Amino acid sequence: MPDEVENAKQTEEAEELDEIKALEKERDELLDTVQRVQAEFDNYRKRAARDQQSLVTRAHERLVKELLPVLDDLERALEAAEAHEEAKLEEGVALVTRALGEVLRKEGLEEISVDGKFDPHVHEALLSQPSEAEEGSVIEVIQKGYRLGDRVIRPARVVISSGRD
Amino acid sequence: MPDEVENAKQTEEAEELDEIKALEKERDELLDTVQRVQAEFDNYRKRAARDQQSLVTRAHERLVKELLPVLDDLERALEAAEAHEEAKLEEGVALVTRALGEVLRKEGLEEISVDGKFDPHVHEALLSQPSEAEEGSVIEVIQKGYRLGDRVIRPARVVISSGRD
């Protein structure tokens, strides 16, 4: 075999060995990356489960805490009722109603308005009665409806007009 | 060069080429794995953020929904008060108090018991007064205390005895 051929073969071999080394390095680095990302993922998953639980617990705790004064005032009103202190009882009930309404409004609760026109998305017709009002329009609210954020959590229960008899 | 040496060289070269191919395959598979795990992780992160928000929203919604009948009954009691229907008002307040207590108990709310012994973990002394009772013992509860699950969300506010004068 001529020398130049032998030399070329040796160069080729050296290049192949370099390539093997480079590929091994690349593989080892990728293995490290896979293990690292997998471990991060696992930790994230565990933390997310814990966070979720404590998030719900804390959100609940805050709301329940805000309701304690309402419960206190109700118990006080009840004591006034038992002692037949009517003025105090009335005042207490007005106070409690405002306070509970305030707590719930702060949570995003909104009363559904009823302006005569029946809206099946937010109203529920329980009865229809003959009336001077336009047929199908709302003539009475039996139970107030409420929205929480953008969701209707209770439709307004209403009576609608069946028109003139 | 003798044939057997030439043969051995060729075998070695073929082995090196096989090794390069195998390493390339391994690298490509690892690259795929890294990308897949990374994508899964990203999706999980996005979903977890969405889930967390909707979890809190749903937990809140449930509790707020349970409070609507309490608000209804309070408003009804208020109407009775305005109409001076005292018996109906009293009955209404008793009903509401029980209903709100029930909702909160279902959420895990528990009244902190006071049995005379002062416990700084769950009681807060607001005043001390001379009394026949043992010095440092609780003689009166000014405001009830509550636990939610295993957390004290409000200590019981109490008066303690400063002993005989």
Side-chain angles (χ1 to χ4, degrees), chain B residues 53 125 132:
Chain B
Q53 199 38 56
E132 291 296 306

Side-chain angles (χ1 to χ4, degrees), chain A residues 91-109:
Chain A
E91 200 192 327
V93 172
L95 193 92
V96 170
T97 310
R98 264 203 309 278
L100 180 59
E102 199 47 55
V103 168
L104 295 177
R105 249 189 308 284
K106 259 176 58 191
E107 293 302 315
L109 192 75

Side-chain angles (χ1 to χ4, degrees), chain B residues 50-76:
Chain B
R50 268 201 311 274
D51 283 359
Q52 227 163 41
Q53 199 38 56
S54 80
L55 203 72
V56 171
T57 306
R58 265 180 294 129
H60 252 88
E61 190 176 304
R62 190 184 50 72
L63 182 49
V64 170
K65 246 181 181 161
E66 283 178 13
L67 291 167
L68 292 184
V70 177
L71 192 59
D72 290 339
D73 288 345
L74 268 175
E75 287 174 349
R76 217 165 288 137

Side-chain angles (χ1 to χ4, degrees), chain A residues 132-145:
Chain A
E132 291 297 306
E134 201 188 326
E135 198 183 322
S137 66
V138 176
I139 50 175
E140 199 193 324
V141 178
I142 295 177
Q143 192 182 46
K144 284 182 183 174

Side-chain angles (χ1 to χ4, degrees), chain A:
Chain A
M1 207 184 276
D3 263 12
E4 53 264 39
V5 175
E6 179 64 12
N7 280 345
K9 271 205 171 243
Q10 270 172 4
T11 309
E12 210 178 282
E13 244 188 86
E15 276 169 2
E16 276 164 11
L17 283 173
D18 280 353
E19 202 176 339
I20 288 174
K21 262 190 213 138
L23 278 168
E24 277 172 350
K25 193 166 168 258
E26 217 180 328
R27 180 206 48 199
D28 291 347
E29 282 169 3
L30 279 167
L31 260 175
D32 273 358
T33 307
V34 169
Q35 278 163 359
R36 188 176 44 74
V37 173
Q38 194 68 59
E40 269 175 32
F41 193 3
D42 287 347
N43 283 336
Y44 186 90
R45 238 193 301 238
K46 278 182 211 139
R47 206 175 53 235
R50 268 201 311 274
D51 283 0
Q52 230 162 39
Q53 199 39 56
S54 82
L55 203 72
V56 170
T57 307
R58 263 181 296 127
H60 251 88
E61 189 175 306
R62 190 183 49 72
L63 182 49
V64 170
K65 245 181 181 160
E66 282 178 13
L67 291 167
L68 292 185
V70 176
L71 192 59
D72 290 340
D73 287 345
L74 268 175
E75 287 174 349
R76 217 166 288 136
L78 209 57
E79 279 165 24
E82 278 158 11
H84 299 288
E85 299 174 286
E86 310 300 357
K88 213 171 153 187
L89 168 59
E90 262 195 57
E91 200 192 327
V93 172
L95 193 92
V96 170
T97 310
R98 264 203 309 278
L100 180 59
E102 199 47 55
V103 168
L104 295 177
R105 249 189 308 284
K106 259 176 58 191
E107 293 302 315
L109 192 75
E110 254 181 284
E111 205 178 308
I112 287 168
S113 65
V114 180
D115 60 358
K117 245 190 102 194
F118 180 75
D119 177 351
H121 295 105
V122 294
H123 302 147
E124 188 181 313
L126 291 188
L127 284 169
S128 73
Q129 277 174 358
S131 137
E132 291 297 306
E134 201 188 326
E135 198 183 322
S137 66
V138 176
I139 50 175
E140 199 193 324
V141 178
I142 295 177
Q143 192 182 46
K144 284 182 183 174
Y146 289 99
R147 244 187 221 97
L148 187 66
D150 51 5
R151 282 168 57 82
V152 174
I153 60 169
R154 190 171 81 184
R157 283 163 184 140
V158 300
V159 181
I160 57 170
S161 169
S162 56
R164 272 166 234 171
D165 239 349

